[in-house]
């Protein structure tokens, strides 16, 4: 089974389009081998009701989990002259949803329940070709082998069962004039959603791990899911899990929890026996660090520790635990930079005082890391820490994600409803990242929650009390957003009890210590070091991606190291080395162009430029050292030199 090759994110990029064209060519060859002629009239015969009923019963799990997803998908394409189709593994249509005007056309070519759309009977078509190729396929207009079907445009994705076998197909078909390039992405994401739901209920008496390199993605469509026996033997993984593990399903069959994550399975039980509220940090066999939560389905009893955090937050600490001082997580972030030390000292004074905190700073400076440290040092540390990125959730979903909803609140809603992030954070901390991107319409509802300490889920008339601390973060200028009527002024003043600004990495004086800490945190115990030449390059770089860029760079470097575990120049990505070379060229050019001191009547700008060039010459082109000597940022130097 090789559906791992179809894991790359949904879209219609050049590589994907090229693969699709190859699949269409392969299909046309198969159709010719079947003896089909392009002008043939397709076989439109419908199986009897008994056969359809039997097919649905044989595919009951697929049918049950797919229907709600189909309804949600249809809501996204309604009134576009399209229909949503579910088939079994043979291409037999089990269920359809569609616009009435297109359904009439569809019935003429038997796009209806009970009809099989295999390549053998209908020629090249998205359903049959997706089954044959075991990959998502777009078949548009003349791509269809039979002339009779060329008025159609079809986007289909196979649905794999938890063991990697094709279980069915999800398809969107419409008139060729209604083609939209985003349809395939919607179909593929919806198919993966069905697969994840099937995977979640597939294995009893098993350990099911939900993991991702970014903890906020656990519980989303892109999370990796892998199941193991109670003894730790690997059973299976979903598409994203296979992609993150970097191995095909056949190769993973010989692995164990320990060989994949570098930890005995007993440690997983120990972690949950202590009722830990935060995700477990693990290191994959390939060196990539991930965060994980586990569902332990043992002896038919489900222990979903990841969702028990609200109850855990209500459990008082034992006297022994209260007497044991916990190490400060905020102080762990203090690597010696004066600006960071001042920021941490200010935060220490307000933690636990019910004062809202607003974290500002450039993208990648570690706002969520700081928020997590604030939570861990607060009296709510045993409660949940729930992070929400307001910029990454579609505007149509953010309301239900934040406030939750009741059963039947809208089409496609989960049975028994959804708790919502605010209620999930009850007793702990809610971290709203990129608060400046929250839709204006929802800001009033958030303000009410903060003022009245109650939340009302969608579809419910009941207001539920909540007790939480709110930390917000943004890289935007909220005052400018207020002036442009894109952010509520009353919400702004409710959120900014204490405003702290994280300094960009290029302005921090503790770079060497930061590098050592990141290496230690990411190394899984391996004694990695950084070569002096590389450390010097780090000091000269302007770090547009800040800590996030540095962390990813070090992760890559650690994976690429040799047996001595030293990160050297040859272990760094090419784009980083190119950036360093460009910066060196700019500095050298500035020195070469340096002239004598400007005359007394020179302009202020010329005098500034002369001082910068003199500092660069004094410090032999080291931009960081020159910036420190002048008391300005490295970005200012680059801007002045390139003006």
């Amino acid at each position: 089974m090789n559906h791992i090759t179809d894991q790359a994110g949904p879209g219609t990029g050049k590589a994907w389009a090229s693969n699709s064209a190859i699949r269409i060519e392969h299909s046309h060859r198969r159709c010719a081998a079947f003896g089909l002629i392009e002008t043939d009239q397709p076989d439109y015969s419908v199986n009897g009701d008994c056969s359809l009923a039997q097919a649905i019963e044989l595919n009951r799990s697929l049918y049950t989990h797919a229907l709600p997803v189909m309804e949600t998908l249809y809501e996204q394409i309604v009134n576009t002259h399209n229909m949503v189709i579910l088939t079994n593994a043979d291409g037999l249509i089990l269920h359809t949803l569609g616009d009435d005007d297109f359904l009439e056309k569809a019935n003429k070519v038997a796009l209806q329940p009970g009809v099989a759309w295999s390549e053998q009977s209908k020629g090249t078509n998205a359903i049959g070709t997706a089954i044959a190729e075991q990959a998502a396929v777009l078949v548009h207009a003349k791509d269809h082998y039979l002339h009779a079907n060329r008025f159609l445009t079809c986007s289909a994705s196979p649905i794999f069962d938890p063991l990697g076998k094709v279980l069915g197909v999800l398809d969107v078909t419409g008139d060729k004039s209604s083609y939209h390039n985003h349809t395939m992405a919607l179909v593929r994401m919806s198919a993966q959603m069905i697969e994840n739901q099937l995977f979640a209920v597939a294995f009893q008496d098993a350990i099911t791990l939900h993991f991702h390199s970014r903890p906020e993605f656990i519980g989303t469509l892109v999370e990796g899911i892998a199941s193991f026996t109670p003894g730790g033997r690997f059973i299976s993984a979903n598409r994203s899990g296979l992609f993150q593990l970097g191995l095909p399903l056949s190769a993973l069959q010989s692995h164990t929890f320990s060989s994949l994550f570098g930890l005995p399975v007993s440690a997983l039980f120990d972690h949950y026996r202590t009722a830990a509220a935060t995700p477990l940090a693990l290191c994959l066999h390939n060196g990539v660090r991930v965060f994980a939560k586990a569902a332990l389905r043992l002896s038919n009893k489900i222990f979903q520790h990841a969702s028990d955090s609200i109850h855990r937050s209500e459990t008082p600490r034992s006297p022994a635990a209260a007497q044991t001082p916990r190490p400060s997580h905020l102080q762990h972030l203090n690597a010696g930079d004066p600006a960071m030390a001042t920021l941490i000292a200010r935060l220490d004074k307000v933690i636990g005082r019910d004062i809202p905190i607003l974290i500002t700073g450039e993208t990648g400076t570690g706002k969520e890391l700081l928020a997590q440290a604030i939570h861990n040092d607060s009296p709510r540390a045993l409660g949940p820490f729930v992070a929400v990125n307001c910029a990454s959730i579609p505007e149509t979903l953010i309301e239900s994600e934040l406030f939750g909803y009741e059963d039947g609140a809208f089409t496609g809603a989960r049975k028994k409803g959804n708790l919502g992030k605010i209620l999930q954070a009850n007793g702990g901390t809610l971290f709203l990242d990129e608060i400046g991107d929250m839709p204006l319409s929802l800001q009033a509802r958030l303000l009410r929650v903060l003022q009245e300490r109650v939340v009302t889920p969608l579809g419910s008339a009941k207001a539920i009390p909540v007790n939480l601390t709110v930390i917000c973060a943004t890289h935007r200028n909220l005052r400018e957003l207020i002036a442009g009527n894109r952010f509520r002024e009353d919400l702004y003043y409710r959120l900014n009890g204490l405003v702290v600004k994280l300094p960009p990495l290029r302005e921090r004086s503790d770079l060497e210590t930061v590098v050592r800490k990141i290496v230690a945190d990411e190394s899984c115990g391996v004694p990695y070091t950084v070569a002096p030449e590389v450390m010097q390059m780090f000091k000269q770089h302007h770090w547009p991606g800040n800590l996030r860029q540095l962390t990813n760079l070090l992760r890559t470097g650690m994976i690429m190291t040799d047996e001595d575990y030293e990160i050297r120049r040859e272990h760094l990505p090419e784009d980083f080395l190119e950036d360093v070379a460009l910066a060196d060229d700019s500095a050298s050019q500035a020195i070469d162009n340096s002239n004598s001191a400007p005359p007394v009547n020179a302009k202020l700008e010329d005098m500034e430029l002369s001082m910068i060039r003199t500092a660069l010459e004094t410090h032999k082109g080291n931009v960081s050292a020159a910036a420190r000597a002048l008391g300005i940022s490295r970005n200012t130097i680059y801007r002045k030199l390139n003006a």
Side-chain angles (χ1 to χ4, degrees), residues 178-211:
S178 67
Y179 168 74
H180 293 278
N181 57 14
H182 68 271
T183 303
M184 177 56 79
L186 292 174
V187 171
R188 294 173 72 184
M189 287 190 294
S190 298
Q192 192 167 345
M193 191 178 301
I194 297 169
E195 290 176 4
N196 284 0
Q197 292 177 9
L198 290 168
F199 196 102
V201 299
F203 304 109
Q204 297 298 322
D205 290 330
I207 302 165
T208 298
L209 201 70
H210 301 255
F211 62 96

Side-chain angles (χ1 to χ4, degrees), residues 8-327:
T12 53
K14 291 182 179 179
W16 188 89
S18 175
N19 288 337
S20 186
I22 293 172
R23 288 165 182 154
I24 296 297
E25 181 182 350
H26 289 169
S27 176
H28 281 208
R29 290 177 181 173
R30 286 193 297 270
C31 292
F34 294 147
L36 295 176
I37 300 173
E38 294 182 7
T39 55
D40 280 349
Q41 189 67 17
D43 176 12
Y44 291 145
S45 59
V46 180
N47 290 344
D49 291 340
C50 182
S51 296
L52 175 60
Q54 289 176 348
I56 292 175
E57 192 57 38
L58 288 171
N59 294 271
R60 176 56 59 185
S61 182
L62 169 66
Y63 190 83
T64 301
H65 287 91
L67 260 57
V69 178
M70 291 178 69
E71 291 177 2
T72 302
L73 176 58
Y74 177 60
E75 289 293 327
Q76 296 173 292
I77 64 169
V78 67
N79 297 325
T80 60
H81 310 293
N82 280 277
M83 66 187 299
V84 183
I85 300 171
L86 175 71
T87 81
N88 67 4
D90 297 320
L92 181 73
I93 297 177
L94 302 177
H95 187 64
T96 64
L97 292 170
D99 297 337
D100 291 339
D101 57 347
F102 180 71
L103 285 177
E104 293 183 10
K105 291 184 179 181
N107 287 336
K108 293 179 180 178
V109 290
L111 275 166
Q112 56 186 305
V115 178
W117 274 73
S118 63
E119 284 187 335
Q120 290 92 330
S121 63
K122 303 297 188 296
T124 302
N125 71 90
I127 294 170
T129 304
I131 293 171
E133 294 285 328
Q134 295 200 13
V137 177
L138 166 66
V139 180
H140 178 68
K142 292 183 179 179
D143 291 339
H144 289 87
Y145 190 77
L146 300 182
H147 290 182
N149 296 331
R150 291 184 176 177
F151 73 95
L152 299 172
T153 183
C154 312
S155 302
S157 176
I159 301 168
F160 294 97
D161 71 11
L163 295 177
K165 182 181 178 182
V166 173
L167 194 60
V169 172
L170 186 67
D171 169 86
V172 169
T173 290
D175 189 281
K176 65 181 181 182
S177 62
S178 67
Y179 168 74
H180 293 278
N181 57 14
H182 68 271
T183 303
M184 177 56 79
L186 292 174
V187 171
R188 294 173 72 184
M189 287 190 294
S190 298
Q192 192 167 345
M193 191 178 301
I194 297 169
E195 290 176 4
N196 284 0
Q197 292 177 9
L198 290 168
F199 196 102
V201 299
F203 304 109
Q204 297 298 322
D205 290 330
I207 302 165
T208 298
L209 201 70
H210 301 255
F211 62 96
H212 198 277
S213 59
R214 294 178 60 179
E216 66 268 27
F217 286 164
I218 296 175
T220 70
L221 180 63
V222 297
E223 71 173 353
I225 310 176
S227 284
F228 301 84
T229 67
R233 182 176 56 81
F234 175 85
I235 301 174
S236 191
N238 72 339
R239 290 202 208 194
S240 182
L242 294 174
F243 181 71
Q244 292 184 60
L245 291 169
L247 293 170
L249 190 59
S250 56
L252 287 166
Q253 298 294 344
S254 60
H255 276 272
T256 63
F257 180 87
S258 178
S259 66
L260 291 173
F261 295 100
L263 199 70
V265 72
S266 59
L268 187 68
F269 288 101
D270 291 341
H271 177 77
Y272 284 108
R273 192 173 291 119
T274 62
T278 55
L280 180 66
L282 299 171
C283 194
L284 296 183
H285 63 98
N286 53 14
V288 176
R289 188 187 187 196
V290 297
F291 298 87
K293 291 184 178 180
L296 310 179
R297 297 185 177 92
L298 305 176
S299 300
N300 297 320
K301 294 181 180 180
I302 302 177
F303 301 95
Q304 188 70 46
H305 294 273
S307 64
D308 285 346
S309 53
I310 292 176
H311 302 292
R312 288 197 297 270
S313 68
E314 298 170 352
T315 303
R317 294 191 200 180
S318 67
Q323 294 171 4
T324 304
R326 291 183 293 114

Side-chain angles (χ1 to χ4, degrees), residues 533-534 536-543 549 569 572-590 621 623 634 638 641-642:
E533 178 195 13
V534 171
Q536 187 61 34
M537 292 166 64
F538 286 173
K539 292 178 181 178
Q540 294 175 356
H541 192 54
H542 61 287
W543 297 111
Q549 180 188 6
R569 182 188 185 95
L572 302 178
E574 289 295 330
D575 58 342
F576 173 77
L577 296 176
E578 290 172 3
D579 287 346
V580 171
L582 286 173
D584 289 344
D585 289 345
S586 296
S588 299
Q589 188 176 13
V623 180
R634 298 172 76 245
Y638 287 121
L641 291 175
N642 295 323

